[in-house]
Amino acid sequence: MYDHRRLGRELGLFDTDPLMGAGLPYWLPDGAVVRHQLEEYVRELECAAGYRHVYSPVLGKRELYEISGHWSHYSDDMFPPMQLGAEEVVLRPSLCPHHALIYRSRSHSYRELPLRIAELGGMYRSELSGVLGGLTRVRAIQLNDAHIFCTLDQAVEEARAALALIARAYADLGIRASRYRLSLPGENVSGGGGKYVADPDLWRRATAMLREVLDASGVAYESAEGEAAFYGPKIDVQIEDAAGREATLSTVQIDFHQPERFDLHYIGPDGAKHRPVMVHRSVVGSVERAVAHLVEEHGGAFPAWLAPVQLVVLPVSEEQEAQAYGLAERARAQGLRAEVAAEGSLGARIRAARLVPYQAVIGEREADAGLVAVRLRDGRRVDPLPPADLLHRVTARVGARGAELWADA
C-alpha cells in the first residue's frame, strides 16, 4: 500500500513548510516535472478536442461572486475579502465566473457554438485544517477546468463528449474510476437561501439531461443527494486510494444558472438573442489530487513519459565516465530527461535508480565496442546496442506515451 505523502517526500516530489502554511505544498524539481508533463498532456488532449485555452486572474471583485452566486451559497469555503481602496477583492474559489465574463466580452453567433474555453488555473479554498493532507486536500489548487458555451440542443452531446474525454485520459494515465456518481441536491430547492439555488425547473432540466448523458455513455452510476454544486447537479467520477478512501477527481456539469446571472447570449439563426447553456467539465480535476493519485497508483514508477528521470547512465568505473556524460548529453538534446549516476558502487546505483524506466550501463567491454548495456525497470535486460539505437527506441516509447517500456521501433 502506497501513501503519496510519504512516497512523495522520499522521492523528492513535493514538501511543505510551516512558514508557507498548512495546505500549501511546494513542488520540488522532480515533482514539477511530473506536474508539467501532466499539464502538457491535458492541454494537448483538449486542443485536439477543439478547446481554446485562456488565462484569467486569480482575484476578482466581491461583486463578481455575488453575481455568480458563490458569495451567497459558497462563501464559507472562500477566503475573506481583501480591501483595495474602495473595493473588496477575493481569491477566486472557482474559474467559472471568469470564463463567463470572457464569453460575455464578445458577441457570439450560433455558428460559433459550441465554444469550448479551457484553462489550467489557480483557485483557492478555505479548507479547515483537519481535512488537509498531502496533495489531496489543499488550499491553493491548480485546476484543470473548462466551460463549454453551447445551445440547448448541443448540451447533452457536449457533456457526453466531455465524459468520453475523461475516460480517454484515464486510460492514458493508468487511472481507474471506482464509480460514477450523479450528484443531486440534498434539500428542498424551491425556497430561497440555503446551500442550493432556488429554481426547481433548473434542477429538473439539468438532472434529466445528465441522466441522458450517463445512459448514452453506458456507464453504471449511483445517485447521491447532498453532493451537487450550488448551481446544479453534476456527474462526479470517483477514484479510490490504496486505503479505500474515495475522492472526486473529474466532473461534468450542466449549468442554466450562471448564463442567466451573467446575462449571456448568442445570436440565433432568427437574428434574436438566445441564452446559451454552460457545460462545466474537468478532465483531471485538481492537478495536486491527480498527481497524488498517480504517485499511489504507480508507486512512484511512473509511465516513462511522466517519469522525472527517463534514462540514467551508469558508468562502471571512472574510465567510462566520459562516454556516460556524452550519452546523457545526447539524450537531453533529443528531449529525454537523462542523468549520470557515477557515485558509489554499481549495485547501489542500480538500486537507487530502480524507478527510472531505462538504465544504460557502460563498462569496459561496452566502451571498447561502442555499445551500451540496457536494463529496464521491470527487470528485463536488453542485448548491448549502439547508443543511437538506444536513444531512438527510448524516444519512440516516450513520445508514444505508451506504458510498455520496450518495443521495436
Side-chain angles (χ1 to χ4, degrees):
M1 181 183 299
Y2 297 110
D3 184 331
H4 84 276
R5 294 168 296 184
R6 177 186 59 78
L7 199 54
R9 287 176 171 86
E10 286 180 4
L11 299 179
L13 302 179
F14 68 91
D15 213 328
T16 56
D17 191 292
L19 285 177
M20 291 189 190
L24 300 170
Y26 58 84
W27 297 83
L28 293 163
D30 281 356
V33 169
V34 177
R35 170 175 164 169
H36 177 77
Q37 293 302 314
L38 177 62
E39 291 176 348
E40 286 301 297
Y41 164 78
V42 170
R43 284 191 183 94
E44 291 176 18
L45 186 73
E46 290 173 337
C47 285
Y51 288 82
R52 304 289 302 278
H53 289 88
V54 298
Y55 293 103
S56 58
V58 298
L59 291 170
K61 291 171 63 175
R62 171 175 165 170
E63 181 185 358
L64 171 62
Y65 306 104
E66 291 174 341
I67 293 171
S68 70
H70 285 82
W71 193 254
S72 58
H73 297 283
Y74 200 74
S75 58
D76 288 347
D77 294 298
M78 297 170 63
F79 282 94
M82 295 172 279
Q83 198 72 35
L84 287 180
E87 297 180 345
E88 286 186 325
V89 296
V90 182
L91 286 167
R92 66 179 175 192
S94 70
L95 282 65
C96 41
H98 293 250
H99 288 188
L101 294 184
I102 289 173
Y103 177 87
R104 197 176 73 175
S105 69
R106 304 285 187 275
S107 61
H108 300 281
S109 161
Y110 72 98
R111 296 181 185 277
E112 299 174 60
L113 306 185
L115 179 62
R116 307 180 185 101
I117 295 176
E119 182 174 1
L120 276 159
M123 67 180 197
Y124 299 83
R125 294 188 176 172
S126 182
E127 300 279 11
L128 298 175
S129 297
V131 301
L132 299 173
L135 296 177
T136 56
R137 203 72 178 264
V138 295
R139 288 172 171 158
I141 302 164
Q142 192 74 9
L143 188 70
N144 158 233
D145 204 9
H147 298 92
I148 304 162
F149 300 90
C150 60
T151 68
L152 181 63
D153 291 341
Q154 294 169 334
V156 168
E157 175 54 28
E158 286 299 310
R160 188 205 62 76
L163 202 59
L165 201 65
I166 291 168
R168 161 75 185 278
Y170 281 26
D172 288 348
L173 294 166
I175 296 174
R176 293 168 291 177
S178 60
R179 68 185 178 110
Y180 290 78
R181 185 178 74 191
L182 177 59
S183 295
L184 304 172
E187 61 185 55
N188 191 329
V189 295
S190 60
K195 182 178 177 181
Y196 302 106
V197 168
D199 189 334
D201 182 59
L202 173 157
W203 291 95
R204 177 187 58 78
R205 287 194 297 159
T207 299
M209 294 172 77
L210 289 180
R211 287 192 187 278
E212 185 177 347
V213 170
L214 287 162
D215 292 340
S217 299
V219 297
Y221 66 94
E222 303 169 13
S223 298
E225 294 187 356
E227 300 292 343
F230 72 84
Y231 49 80
K234 57 194 176 90
I235 297 170
D236 288 326
V237 186
Q238 303 296 102
I239 57 170
E240 284 187 0
D241 64 13
R245 294 182 294 256
E246 188 178 82
T248 300
L249 186 62
S250 311
T251 62
V252 179
Q253 307 163 41
I254 291 179
D255 180 6
F256 294 103
H257 173 70
Q258 291 189 71
E260 180 74 27
R261 297 283 291 181
F262 285 101
D263 191 26
L264 305 183
H265 62 265
Y266 66 91
I267 305 301
D270 57 358
K273 290 183 178 180
H274 298 268
R275 188 79 67 204
V277 178
M278 194 171 173
V279 177
H280 305 235
R281 59 104 284 225
S282 182
V283 172
V284 298
S286 124
V287 171
E288 290 80 8
R289 182 172 290 180
V291 171
H293 186 73
L294 289 169
V295 170
E296 295 186 354
E297 188 72 20
H298 299 293
F302 297 104
W305 65 274
L306 267 178
V309 178
Q310 296 165 323
L311 172 67
V312 62
V313 188
L314 302 144
V316 173
S317 66
E318 287 186 22
E319 285 72 22
Q320 292 87 48
E321 286 188 14
Q323 291 96 322
Y325 282 101
L327 175 57
E329 185 176 348
R330 289 174 61 185
R332 288 192 289 270
Q334 294 188 26
L336 296 174
R337 296 184 290 277
E339 293 183 357
V340 175
E343 296 293 327
S345 70
L346 180 61
R349 286 180 278 151
I350 289 174
R351 288 191 296 274
R354 68 191 183 283
L355 298 180
V356 177
Y358 303 98
Q359 299 178 1
V361 180
I362 304 178
E364 181 179 0
R365 183 182 305 172
E366 288 81 17
D368 290 344
L371 302 173
V372 291
V374 183
R375 294 169 175 262
L376 305 182
R377 182 174 59 197
D378 59 14
R380 287 180 289 161
R381 297 190 183 191
V382 178
D383 291 337
L385 72 170
D389 288 356
L390 167 66
L391 297 182
H392 175 71
R393 295 189 183 201
V394 172
T395 302
R397 298 312 302 157
V398 170
R401 291 198 174 109
E404 185 182 355
L405 287 178
W406 195 258
D408 290 336

